[in-house]
Amino acid sequence: MGHYILNVNGAQLSVDAPGEESLLFVLRNHLDLTGTKYGCGEGQCGACTVILNGRAIRSCLIPVSAAANLKIETIEGLERDGHLNSVQQAFLEEGAMQCGYCTSGMIMNATSLLRHSPHPTDEQILTAMNGNICRCGTYPRILAAIRRAEQSGEAA
Ligand code: FES
Ligand code: FES
């Protein structure tokens, strides 16, 4: 059991957990941040995507000990002063979800993409989003939402 300080969505939170526990488990079960989803638990689906020090990562693969003191962003932290971020807003406007299980991971990955590459080509979008699985097959609307966010001209 270790004691860790996690910087989540701008807040410093202390957690007691085994160091090898996944960041995903700690976010969901210790910190009650359940917007990040458990899909496969093996790095294969992207449902658990969060942004760690500016990069989209699979939180099911990261031990909490490796995330201590780094900047963690989850879906709960994207809204600012009552305003959704551009990707969240675009997903809503395009209706880019069915069951919604993949959605927070999709939004986190797309947010990271647009921060690094504000005007990606279709190929860049497909490459970046390739590992995020949607079992409902809403890919066309997800791509449309990312395009809409990109064209909104706002920083993700
Ligand atoms: S739950 Fe992490 S990639 Fe599937
Ligand atoms: S909307 Fe159901 S898995 Fe993507």
Side-chain angles (χ1 to χ4, degrees), residues 9-85:
N9 301 326
Q12 301 277 97
L13 305 172
S14 71
V15 171
D16 290 312
E20 67 276 14
E21 195 74 86
S22 72
L23 176 60
L24 172 61
F25 185 92
V26 169
L27 288 172
R28 290 182 54 83
N29 296 301
H30 290 252
L31 301 176
D32 208 22
L33 292 168
T34 55
T36 306
K37 300 302 183 197
Y38 181 103
C40 63
E42 298 177 347
Q44 301 294 321
C45 74
C48 66
T49 303
V50 301
I51 297 176
L52 184 67
N53 268 11
R55 293 191 51 216
I57 56 96
R58 306 280 156 99
S59 62
C60 68
L61 295 181
I62 302 289
V64 64
S65 57
N69 301 310
L70 303 183
K71 186 178 174 198
I72 302 163
E73 293 173 81
T74 72
I75 190 77
E76 290 89 350
L78 293 185
E79 164 264 328
R80 291 271 181 281
D81 302 324
H83 296 285
L84 299 176
N85 89 344

Side-chain angles (χ1 to χ4, degrees), residues 50-133:
V50 301
I51 297 176
L52 184 67
N53 268 11
R55 293 191 51 216
I57 56 96
R58 306 280 156 99
S59 62
C60 68
L61 295 181
I62 302 289
V64 64
S65 57
N69 301 310
L70 303 183
K71 186 178 174 198
I72 302 163
E73 293 173 81
T74 72
I75 190 77
E76 290 89 350
L78 293 185
E79 164 264 328
R80 291 271 181 281
D81 302 324
H83 296 285
L84 299 176
N85 89 344
S86 60
V87 180
Q88 292 174 305
Q89 188 64 39
F91 268 64
L92 270 184
E93 289 171 3
E94 290 290 340
M97 71 277 301
Q98 192 162 316
C99 77
Y101 204 83
C102 69
T103 308
S104 64
M106 293 281 184
I107 288 173
M108 296 311 289
N109 203 14
T111 294
S112 176
L113 167 67
L114 293 181
R115 284 179 183 171
H116 290 103
S117 215
H119 299 292
T121 62
D122 285 344
E123 192 178 345
Q124 285 174 314
I125 294 175
L126 291 175
T127 300
M129 300 301 296
N130 195 28
N132 284 68
I133 308 297

